[in-house]
Amino acid sequence: MAKSARRGPKAKSSTTTSSSSGSGTSTPASQSSMPLPPFTKAPATLLPLLSPLSPSEIYLIHIDSTPISLKQKTFLVPVLMNLAIVCLLAYRVYSVRHIYPAMFASVVGLTSSLSVDTSTLSWSDLSGVVLGRIFTVMLDYFLVTVLLPWPIRFLFGPLQWRRRVGFRDQEIIFRRSQAGLTRHLKRDRWIREDEETRDRIVSAVTPEKVRKTGYLLVDKDWDLDYESMIVAHEMVDGHGHSPNKDDTAAVQLDEFRTAVVVNTDAHGWLVWRVDDENPTVAAAEEAASSKRDRKGKAKQETTEDPMRSAQRDQIIEFQQKLTAMGKEDLFYRWVELIQYESTRPGGFTPERQISAMNQVKQLFEENDVDFSKFWEDVGGMEDFTDQLD
């Protein structure tokens, strides 16, 4: 959130006003103030998607441009795993189909195949019978409470998502914060005061992260919101999600570019467009995705402004040169490093720019790339540094 730091005086005033009440609720003064940069009010086109969501959670949006073949292979793993679980449960049901009716009959005093004459059994034999039946019940309890929910969640989550959306070249990924991330956050105030949480959020939208296919981004902090992803694609396809309208104007896919979405008492739904926060990083991400989406590249060039186009062209040249040298992975590591440094609280100061360039130099040297000669070939470091500032 580099821009937020550069506008410190305004943010400080807003903090004083809203926190004077000592709670997360809004006041008239806070309601009239502007959202804390880099957050801005969510566009009206996204409100049909955001309105039903929980205001206490944090949401991440980005576009997954990984190849369809990779998406299919990634999805095949949980499909096979859940099929194995269903087969295991089916086999277990078949195996115990006679046990539980007989157990129930014994409990109510009826004669069954599991009835035993306790008077003829020793204590050790009786203990073995009791422990065996307890083990059977506990095992089935475990299967029902732990394993059974997996295929159920898969059926109504990932499988429903793929059935409705299918596999596409560009897919909208919508992530929702896990309870562990937001449980202790102070509503409204954490955006200004909790740097640790902001860093965890930033780390979830770095280029290295969003280069992965969406299904691999589930972790202890984030889960996929399958219903929201279905609704988002319906909006892009031009199918309304309102009960009063069957169809509505299609929302541009670009509205779902990398962003952080939060809700506040004072301003409602706010969006931080991560791609727009730093033009150079945005251009680098476009260059990284252009290799996977060359069809959309020509269309994008006709709509973007000349400055952004020039930055993207320069970084594409940067990527292509590293690729030709067999060092394409170095490009992505550079993007991740610059993204991290430029979004740290406090802004991308001259000191951090120097530190970043020193890290880049070390990174290049570790990969046997002549740092000075390489930057001369792609137009020098000055333009990159100016764009990052």
Side-chain angles (χ1 to χ4, degrees), residues 66-75 211-213 216:
T66 55
I68 290 180
S69 59
L70 177 60
K71 296 184 176 86
Q72 292 172 334
K73 291 176 182 177
T74 304
F75 190 69
R211 272 201 305 126
K212 298 179 180 179
T213 187
L216 297 179

Side-chain angles (χ1 to χ4, degrees), residues 31 33 44 73 107 132 145 182 191 199 218 243 260 285-286 289 292 297 300:
Q31 290 174 347
S33 63
K73 291 176 182 177
V107 169
T145 57
T182 56
I191 299 177
D199 286 344
V218 177
V260 178
E285 291 179 2
E286 289 172 15
S289 64
R292 300 184 295 268
K297 176 181 170 184
Q300 185 180 16

